[in-house]
Amino acid sequence: MDGRKALPITTVLLILALALATVGVGYGLWSKVLTIQGTVYTGEVNAQLSIEEIDEGDAALVSDNGVNEDHEIEGKDIGECSVALISQSPPDLDNEGPQLMRITIENGYPSYSCFVNFNVQNNGSIPIKVDQPKLSGVDIGALDVAFLTGNIGTEGCYYNEVNGSAVPPVFVHPQLEPKEQTFCTIWVHVRQEAKQGATYTFLARVLAHQWNEYSTWPHLDLYP
């Protein structure tokens, strides 16, 4: 008969605890995953057109005073020049506000003139540069159309406006900070070759783009 005594249960438990602790040194690991989350808020490029004044008649009699005037010869009101602002963006853009200008001449006659003073305003959150306006649908056989710096013969947009008058120099490619605007005039003149009983309509559009990139016209064919 073996006379060895069994180890006390307390000793056995202590040995097991030490053994488990030793194994834990080699295989145990506490861990925690640290996550970095980033958020980027982008700005917005958005510009819109607004009409400041529409003048009709003899060029020598009209003035930039913020009031629509009709100075046709002998005080008559024959021709009609109307401007519609169209809130329409190309399909892949979501800009709010008027993006196109439609000018219509009705009941015009040779030498009839219309002057449309308009603004381009930066309604976005980042600076923009504004290109010279583009025209489409002009019947060059019936109409002369030009962008003026306040006087016939001095063409180009854009310029500053002080008390209703153009102030040189012309800014061919002005930069606008948010909420700033620039000013220009479209002159429409009915030529001798215009057809009787005809209505003439054309579009004007302006490309505005972020200030630190060159401009392109990728959406020219997407407008109506």
Side-chain angles (χ1 to χ4, degrees):
M1 182 176 182
D2 192 351
R4 290 178 298 176
K5 294 183 178 180
L7 293 175
I9 188 62
T10 304
T11 303
V12 174
L13 293 177
L14 181 59
I15 293 172
L16 290 175
L18 291 173
L20 291 174
T22 302
V23 173
V25 170
Y27 298 98
L29 174 66
W30 286 356
S31 65
K32 181 177 182 181
V33 176
L34 302 180
T35 302
I36 299 176
Q37 182 176 6
T39 302
V40 177
Y41 295 97
T42 61
E44 179 188 23
V45 170
N46 193 9
Q48 75 173 42
L49 302 171
S50 62
I51 302 301
E52 185 167 309
E53 179 180 346
I54 302 174
D55 294 328
E56 303 170 83
D58 193 323
L61 299 178
V62 299
S63 60
D64 293 334
N65 57 8
V67 178
N68 296 342
E69 298 176 308
D70 192 335
H71 287 292
E72 297 177 68
I73 301 300
E74 297 182 0
K76 297 184 182 298
D77 184 7
I78 306 300
E80 181 66 27
C81 177
S82 59
V83 181
L85 295 178
I86 306 169
S87 297
Q88 182 169 348
S89 294
D92 60 335
L93 297 179
D94 188 23
N95 291 339
E96 298 180 354
Q99 310 293 322
L100 290 171
M101 182 189 310
R102 178 180 289 127
I103 299 177
T104 302
I105 304 295
E106 298 176 280
N107 206 39
Y109 49 87
S111 295
Y112 171 82
S113 288
C114 174
F115 299 84
V116 179
N117 295 347
F118 70 94
N119 299 305
V120 180
Q121 179 167 325
N122 183 0
N123 283 349
S125 60
I126 66 175
I128 61 173
K129 282 193 173 181
V130 182
D131 283 3
Q132 291 291 301
K134 300 286 187 179
L135 299 174
S136 60
V138 177
D139 188 334
I140 59 176
L143 303 176
D144 294 315
V145 182
F147 299 98
L148 307 181
T149 59
N151 299 287
I152 295 177
T154 55
E155 298 186 10
C157 291
Y158 301 90
Y159 49 89
N160 289 325
E161 180 193 15
V162 177
N163 296 326
S165 298
V167 177
V170 172
F171 301 103
V172 177
H173 203 208
Q175 179 175 313
L176 301 179
E177 299 297 320
K179 304 306 179 184
E180 286 185 342
Q181 66 181 23
T182 188
F183 179 80
C184 190
T185 298
I186 297 180
W187 170 54
V188 186
H189 173 257
V190 179
R191 298 168 55 90
Q192 180 68 40
E193 295 78 8
K195 297 179 181 179
Q196 297 188 45
T199 296
Y200 294 99
T201 299
F202 62 91
L203 288 176
R205 71 201 78 199
V206 176
L207 176 66
H209 57 89
Q210 64 189 69
W211 85 104
N212 61 333
E213 295 290 346
Y214 292 102
S215 62
T216 59
W217 278 91
H219 306 295
L220 188 60
D221 297 330
L222 300 179
Y223 287 103

